[in-house]
Amino acid sequence: MTRYLSLWLPSLATDRISRHSAAAREAPLATIAKVRSAQRLAAVNRAAARHGLKPGLALADARAILPELACCAVDEAAEAATLAAITDWCRRFTPLAALDPPDGAMLDITGAAHLFGGEAKLLDEIEARLATQGLAARAAIAPTPEAAWALARFGEARVIPEGDREEDLRRRLGALPLAALRLDAKTLADLAQAGLRRIGDLILRPRAPLAARFGKQLFVRLDALLGHAKTPITPRFEAPAYLAERRFAEPIVQRETIEATIRALAQELALLLVRQGEGARQLDVSLFGVDGRVRHLRAGTSRPLRDPAMIARLFREKIEAAGNIDERDPLDAGFGFDVVRLAAEAVERQDEDQAHWLGAATQDDLADLVDRLGARLGLRRVTRLDLSDTHWPEFAVTAVPFSASSTHRHGMDARHKAGHDVQAQSVLSTRPIRLLTQPEPIEAIASVPDGPPVRFRWRRVLHVVAAIEGPERIAPEWWKHSALTRDYFRAEDSEGRRFWLFREGLYETETAQPRWFLHGLFA
């Protein structure tokens, strides 16, 4: 049975401001927002609430009650960022953690609670750890997200036992107020006016008259609460395909210890990947700090990878690259990490390599080099040249990420790949490797208007053609734009320098005066 944990942070707005100072947490604090030309309290902390202050109160009235009240403007972006960070931290308990704005998170803990000693102990651990971070929290567990949300905010019990029958579920939830259905204020007021205040009041009454008067949404929420309709959560991050993790009673700080842990986790991950015949294309190391911070190290690979030594080496490169930015502490361990997790976020099928009698394949060495460069620079910055399906030489070769081209090559059938390689070889043998950024116009003298040049002037220097080969005719791409035909020549001048020239336009067919350009230089 699916189990959900709802986490509620009732004073997130004020805790965000004062969480790092124990003294500040004890002082009355409120956030304020402008509502209809008046400054009103948006959130208050526990100290301010003890003096009778509550959200919605005018700031002038609040100051009259409590002159020493400290106030800060509402910062919705900062509050959302804090909630996202807390949700990310909750992934230490389960990979499936979703935002539940504005002040909560929803976790799918199915099959995970026993790792923490049971559901009750899991709730205690979450609340205690958040308390040490300066965050007030209340959590509850139920078989549906709506029931968990309702219990966390309105219930006395924190857990609905697994395997409860529907009658038991109705009895436990029936005593909760209708606000536990997440209804809007107007609907709640209308229901209260009709004498309906508890969820049990709805369960016992016929649906049709109530739906006609208060809307269908009322029973959509009720069905979701009782599990009659499924409402799956949207995790902030997809669950990884495979993961391995270590938990430490005492947090680790030393970089050597962290790298050794990653090596050990890589061994465990490799066993999982080998068992399934897959290799990792995207790896992630998550370092969960005891102070609530989460550090992620991500590394992509140019081909499916499961070699533990190579995986460990990739992350060592990442850490060293971080050290180049911050020499003091590349991992910024703070108070230390107590959970280290290595996950394969994306995988591909990887069959066992066939041993070659000539030894290790050169392609593997190249792939290792690309992966190490990618770990330091970013995998998309490691590129290779690839042919494009176009007539124009200046667009015929493009730089593509090595990993993308590798994927393309893996998916290419042998016949297509052979033709691709033959095409590349034929092109490289007849054209210069490097072209000018733009074809440069030249002054050429030819014996006849449509013949090859005998002399040409480029960048104010006159060149006498001693040998010439061509033409190679390239037709324009009529489906893209109108252009003129090009006739390319490989020319060598009297001093042995070799050029790649072309005449633009067919004489008396496309133009009366063809123009000449120099497009590249041979080595």
Side-chain angles (χ1 to χ4, degrees):
M1 178 180 287
T2 309
R3 304 289 286 169
Y4 295 95
L5 185 152
S6 176
L7 177 65
W8 180 37
L9 304 160
S11 53
L12 174 65
T14 52
D15 288 348
R16 178 188 65 83
I17 300 169
S18 59
R19 61 187 297 192
H20 300 298
S21 169
R25 289 199 294 271
E26 298 302 322
L29 174 67
T31 59
I32 55 174
K34 194 172 184 180
V35 180
R36 295 179 182 176
S37 304
Q39 295 286 353
R40 295 185 177 276
L41 303 189
V44 297
N45 69 351
R46 191 174 300 174
R50 282 198 292 266
H51 289 83
L53 304 185
K54 59 184 179 180
L57 189 66
L59 177 59
D61 296 340
R63 283 271 166 75
I65 298 172
L66 190 63
E68 66 270 24
L69 176 68
C71 296
C72 295
V74 168
D75 188 342
E76 293 181 352
E79 291 171 13
T82 303
L83 182 60
I86 295 171
T87 306
D88 194 15
W89 173 83
C90 286
R91 295 174 67 209
R92 64 185 291 135
F93 302 104
T94 171
L96 300 175
L99 289 170
D100 192 6
D103 55 4
M106 188 68 69
L107 314 182
D108 184 342
I109 60 164
T110 308
H114 70 281
L115 301 174
F116 305 92
E119 293 180 344
K121 290 187 176 179
L122 174 60
L123 293 176
D124 292 340
E125 181 171 347
I126 289 179
E127 292 177 356
R129 285 182 177 273
L130 288 172
T132 60
Q133 299 172 31
L135 295 164
R138 191 172 194 277
I141 296 176
T144 66
E146 287 72 16
W149 188 93
L151 278 187
R153 288 157 177 80
F154 300 98
E156 294 182 1
R158 296 194 302 163
V159 177
I160 292 181
E162 192 170 5
D164 254 13
R165 295 174 302 174
E166 183 172 344
E167 306 86 74
D168 299 326
L169 192 62
R170 289 186 176 204
R171 178 176 50 79
R172 292 178 190 277
L173 298 175
L176 299 181
L178 288 176
L181 293 177
R182 300 202 209 195
L183 299 171
D184 59 83
K186 182 180 182 307
T187 304
L188 288 174
D190 292 344
L191 288 167
Q193 197 171 14
L196 302 173
R197 292 181 172 79
R198 302 285 173 184
I199 291 176
D201 298 338
L202 292 181
I203 296 175
L204 298 174
R205 283 175 168 74
R207 291 192 169 203
L210 292 177
R213 181 175 177 182
F214 300 104
K216 295 181 180 178
Q217 188 66 16
L218 182 64
F219 289 101
V220 170
R221 295 286 173 82
L222 181 62
D223 288 342
L225 183 81
L226 298 176
H228 296 162
K230 288 187 177 180
T231 53
I233 65 173
T234 304
R236 181 167 162 75
F237 298 97
E238 290 293 329
Y242 305 97
L243 66 85
E245 71 176 21
R246 285 278 193 283
R247 294 177 179 271
F248 300 92
E250 294 294 331
I252 58 174
V253 178
Q254 298 296 326
R255 172 179 165 178
E256 293 76 13
T257 308
I258 295 170
E259 290 185 354
T261 303
I262 294 174
R263 281 197 301 275
L265 293 176
Q267 295 279 358
E268 294 181 16
L269 191 68
L271 294 176
L272 297 175
L273 292 169
V274 169
R275 193 177 303 160
Q276 300 298 325
E278 293 180 324
R281 291 297 307 271
Q282 184 72 41
L283 293 156
D284 179 275
V285 167
S286 300
L287 304 166
F288 293 87
V290 294
D291 56 356
R293 292 187 302 166
V294 184
R295 183 74 188 271
H296 293 283
L297 300 173
R298 293 188 173 89
T301 66
S302 60
R303 83 291 193 202
L305 178 67
R306 60 190 181 210
D307 179 10
M310 189 60 207
I311 293 174
R313 191 186 307 165
L314 283 182
F315 286 103
R316 188 165 63 247
E317 298 279 358
K318 295 287 291 186
I319 295 172
E320 289 180 359
N324 293 334
I325 299 174
D326 187 350
E327 296 179 354
R328 294 169 299 176
D329 186 359
L331 291 175
D332 190 17
F335 294 98
F337 304 114
D338 60 346
V339 178
V340 180
R341 178 181 295 167
L342 172 63
E345 302 283 352
V347 296
E348 285 184 5
R349 181 167 181 79
Q350 183 183 14
D351 296 321
E352 290 293 338
D353 294 333
Q354 184 174 3
H356 198 285
W357 65 279
L358 289 177
T362 308
Q363 287 294 332
D364 288 343
D365 297 336
L366 177 60
D368 290 347
L369 174 63
V370 170
D371 290 344
R372 294 181 65 183
L373 290 173
R376 281 183 172 267
L377 307 174
L379 198 57
R380 293 191 62 80
R381 293 179 180 173
V382 184
T383 60
R384 67 184 297 273
L385 298 179
D386 203 359
L387 293 178
S388 297
D389 190 11
T390 177
H391 291 186
W392 300 120
E394 57 266 39
F395 303 122
V397 177
T398 56
V400 297
F402 189 94
S403 56
S405 61
S406 174
T407 303
H408 174 66
R409 289 197 306 277
H410 283 303
M412 191 184 296
D413 59 67
R415 185 177 176 182
H416 188 189
K417 182 176 183 300
H420 189 273
D421 292 343
V422 169
Q423 180 191 4
Q425 289 299 326
S426 63
V427 168
L428 291 176
S429 62
T430 58
R431 296 180 180 178
I433 295 177
R434 289 288 184 183
L435 301 179
L436 300 181
T437 305
Q438 292 290 336
E440 296 185 8
I442 59 175
E443 299 173 11
I445 299 174
S447 56
V448 291
D450 56 350
V454 294
R455 287 189 296 274
F456 67 89
R457 188 184 300 277
W458 176 54
R459 295 183 181 178
R460 300 181 182 179
V461 177
L462 182 65
H463 300 271
V464 178
V465 176
I468 196 160
E469 187 179 5
E472 175 193 358
R473 177 159 295 178
I474 298 179
E477 296 175 339
W478 56 267
W479 61 90
K480 289 185 178 177
H481 50 77
S482 59
L484 301 178
T485 304
R486 294 179 181 181
D487 281 342
Y488 276 87
F489 295 88
R490 294 187 294 277
E492 181 175 327
D493 68 3
S494 55
E495 298 182 5
R497 291 170 293 198
R498 303 171 66 214
F499 305 91
W500 203 40
L501 318 173
F502 73 85
R503 182 181 57 230
E504 185 183 60
L506 300 179
Y507 179 64
E508 291 188 342
T509 301
E510 295 179 344
T511 178
Q513 291 185 334
R515 296 191 304 167
W516 284 88
F517 293 86
L518 191 148
H519 203 169
L521 303 170
F522 289 96

